[in-house]
Each structure stands twice: as C-alpha cells, then as structure tokens.
Amino acid sequence: MEIRPISDLRNKFTEIEDVVKEGQPVYLTKNGYGSMVVLSLEEYSRLTEDIEVKLDEADKMASLTKNRLSHQELFDNVREGLKGNKDE
C-alpha cells in the first residue's frame, strides 16, 4: 500500500504517476490524516463501471413508469430486500 503526504503530489508527481500507472492506488495524507486517493483512469473506470450500468438501468426503468417512491419507501424496500437475502 502506497501512503504519501499530499505534498508529494506536487513534489514527486512522477513517482506517484508511476505507481498509479501500475494499477495501484496512492493514498494521500494531510497533517497525518487520510485526505484522498489517486487512481488511474482505467482503475477508476473499472471500479465504477458496475455503478454506471446500474444507474443506466434505473434511468430506463424510471422512464417506463410514473410511479415514484419517497426516500422512506425506498429505504424501507432496501432494508426488506437485505433482510430477505439473510434468510436465503
């Protein structure tokens, strides 16, 4: 795991870039606390690809109906679904 102070982003960019190009994330700290993570575009795309597909599916489903749920109804449905998965 690569952990570096945020100042390395400016002072040692090429080193960080090399690590990221190898597919590894670089964790940056500020004042000793986690601040951000640097990823390659490829790695970021890999991590978010499934989310993008799910959002596209949700958009398509939403366009097919006028039925909408409140936040509470949505969270209740999710909780029920999670409870159902525990029983399986």
Side-chain angles (χ1 to χ4, degrees), residues 20 23-25 39-48:
V20 169
Q24 299 299 313
L39 299 170
S40 68
L41 286 175
E42 292 81 11
E43 186 64 16
Y44 179 78
S45 293
R46 188 187 70 74
L47 290 172
T48 60

Side-chain angles (χ1 to χ4, degrees), residues 67-77:
N67 186 22
R68 300 292 182 261
L69 301 176
S70 69
H71 288 95
Q72 190 60 51
E73 291 169 322
L74 175 66
F75 287 121
D76 289 347
N77 288 349

